[in-house]
Every structure is written in C-alpha cells, then in structure tokens.
C-alpha cells in the first residue's frame, strides 16, 4: 500500500548490491504524462518533435549501471508497457527519433499498490511484462501488520528529525509508544513519520501519552 516503504526496500536492494556506486533513479510512473512517457523513458534526438531542441537521455540512460525504480508501474500505458517489455527482453532500446540501438544496463525494481492480476484480466496490464518483472516478488506489508516494529521506527524518526532540526532527540514515554502501536496507520510508515514530526514540534520536554492523544 501507499506509504508502506516500497522505495526504501528498493534502495536497500540497490545499496546492498554491486551496483551501489552507480545511480539509483526513482520514477513515479503515475505522474508521467502519457504523451511524454516514451521520450522520458528512452530519450529522444534533436528535432524529433516540436520542442525537442537538443538530444535528451531517458531514464534508462540516466540510471545506466545502477537501478531504475518504477513506482506505480501499473499506471503505465499499454504503449510504454510494450516498449519496456522489449527493452527487458532484448537488453537494448532505441531513443525516440533515432535509428541506433543503445545497450540497457540497469536493474529494474518495480512497485505497485494495484492488484496486477486483476489488471491483467481487465487487459490494463500485459501479462508477459508482469512475468518479466515478477522474477522475485517482495511483499511490503502495511504498518498495521508489523506494529511490533513501531518502537524501533519511532526511535529512528525521532533521531532523524531531531538531527534535521539541529536539536536533541526527545524521549518518548512507554505508554505513548503503546498508544502509537494501537493506531490503525492507514497512511503506513509515511504517516508515522509525519506524526512523529508533529509530536516533536508540539510536545514539551518529552513525548507523553497525552501528547499522542491530543496531536494524533
């Protein structure tokens, strides 16, 4: 689900691998305009279309040697899905308006909050592309399914946010932590981080149960 930490998992994969010194490029497929997607993914050559004043490298070139993280991959158009499938199969791609192939050297990590099996049945997602992407499937659970991790996450966020603000980390009471563990967290880890930042700003010397009940 949204906010569960899919990009953090992708980053961990990248920085634990032999590609760690190369780029990690995260792309939110859900916000890419359909008409610009082929150029953004594969690049284009000067003069290909109105406004193409220079050659432009695409995501595959920018992430060369590293990892390309495709978030919300289920939102890609069928046209771009077909182009992506060909690149994964052939290990190469052709920039828009060019007649020269380029070698593709990236690790692809794709993420989605959609049911792609349903999207396949509804003909919104290519089954062959799904099987190309789903070699290894990692399920990132919602926070409510691993509430036991909340104390460690809270401690991490308190340290991180305090460092960003240039202040000392605030202690948090045990009953306040217990209350945080009982919350539903529909926004998952992203929501938890925002709540901890709010508590740090609005609490006094320490974060108490009353603070959690008042500000969460």
């Amino acid at each position: 689900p949204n906010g569960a930490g899919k990009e953090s998992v992708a980053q961990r994969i990248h920085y634990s691998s032999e590609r760690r010194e190369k780029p990690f490029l995260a792309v939110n497929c859900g916000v890419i305009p359909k008409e610009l997607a082929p150029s953004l993914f594969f690049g284009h050559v000067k003069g290909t279309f109105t406004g193409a004043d220079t050659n432009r490298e695409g995501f595959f070139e920018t992430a060369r040697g590293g990892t390309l993280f495709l978030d919300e991959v289920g939102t890609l158009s069928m046209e771009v899905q077909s182009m992506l499938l060909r690149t994964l199969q052939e290990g190469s791609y052709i920039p828009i308006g060019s007649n020269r192939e380029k070698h593709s050297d990236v690790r692809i990590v794709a993420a989605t909050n959609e049911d792609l099996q349903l999207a396949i049945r509804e003909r919104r997602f290519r089954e062959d592309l799904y099987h190309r992407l789903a070699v290894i499937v990692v399920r990132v659970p919602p926070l409510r399914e691993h509430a036991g991790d909340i104390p460690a996450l809270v401690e991490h966020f308190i340290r991180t946010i305090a460092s960003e603000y240039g202040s000392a980390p605030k202690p948090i009471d045990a009953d306040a932590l217990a209350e945080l563990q009982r919350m539903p967290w529909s926004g998952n880890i992203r929501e938890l981080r925002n709540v901890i930042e709010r508590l740090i700003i609005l609490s006094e010397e320490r974060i108490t149960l009353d603070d959690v009940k008042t500000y969460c």
Side-chain angles (χ1 to χ4, degrees):
N2 286 331
K6 298 185 290 294
E7 184 171 343
S8 295
V9 173
Q11 289 177 336
R12 184 62 179 266
I13 291 170
H14 173 75
Y15 290 110
S16 299
S17 75
E18 294 180 355
R19 293 177 180 263
R20 68 177 68 89
E21 302 299 329
K22 298 297 184 178
F24 174 88
L25 179 62
V27 175
N28 185 344
C29 300
V31 300
I32 298 176
K34 180 180 178 180
E35 64 277 9
L36 295 180
S39 172
L40 291 174
F41 271 90
F42 306 105
H44 63 249
V45 298
K46 179 179 179 181
T48 300
F49 50 83
T50 302
D53 300 325
T54 60
N55 293 341
R56 174 174 177 153
E57 66 179 28
F59 299 145
F60 275 88
E61 185 66 24
T62 303
R64 177 178 290 274
T67 300
L68 179 58
F69 173 58
L70 303 180
D71 198 8
E72 298 187 35
V73 70
T75 63
L76 289 175
S77 69
M78 296 299 284
E79 176 191 10
V80 175
Q81 289 180 40
S82 297
M83 298 172 75
L84 180 58
L85 175 64
R86 181 192 179 280
T87 300
L88 295 178
Q89 288 176 331
E90 304 297 330
S92 62
Y93 61 94
I94 301 175
I96 308 303
S98 175
N99 57 7
R100 298 182 60 185
E101 281 193 335
K102 287 192 171 186
H103 175 60
S104 169
D105 177 20
V106 296
R107 172 196 284 114
I108 298 291
V109 180
T112 181
N113 57 16
E114 281 195 67
D115 180 347
L116 288 187
Q117 295 295 344
L118 176 61
I120 289 168
R121 292 194 297 272
E122 294 178 349
R123 300 185 181 278
R124 293 183 289 109
F125 200 83
R126 294 185 60 125
E127 184 173 13
D128 45 6
L129 176 58
Y130 173 82
H131 291 302
R132 276 283 174 178
L133 293 173
V135 176
I136 301 293
V137 177
V138 179
R139 180 177 179 269
V140 184
L143 184 55
R144 66 179 179 274
E145 291 185 12
H146 57 109
D149 292 334
I150 287 177
L153 289 166
V154 168
E155 181 182 353
H156 167 72
F157 289 140
I158 287 175
R159 290 198 312 268
T160 301
I161 295 166
S163 176
E164 290 173 359
Y165 288 176
S167 60
K170 282 188 179 180
I172 181 168
D173 292 345
D175 53 358
L177 268 178
E179 183 67 16
L180 290 173
Q181 287 182 273
R182 287 190 288 268
M183 294 174 64
W185 300 113
S186 59
N188 297 294
I189 293 176
R190 184 181 297 131
E191 180 188 5
L192 176 63
R193 189 199 188 283
N194 292 340
V195 164
I196 297 306
E197 184 168 13
R198 186 186 312 142
L199 289 168
I200 288 172
I201 293 169
L202 298 177
S203 62
E204 299 296 336
E205 288 78 15
R206 60 191 306 111
I207 300 170
T208 67
L209 176 59
D210 286 342
D211 292 325
V212 172
K213 289 183 175 180
T214 301
Y215 302 124
C216 297

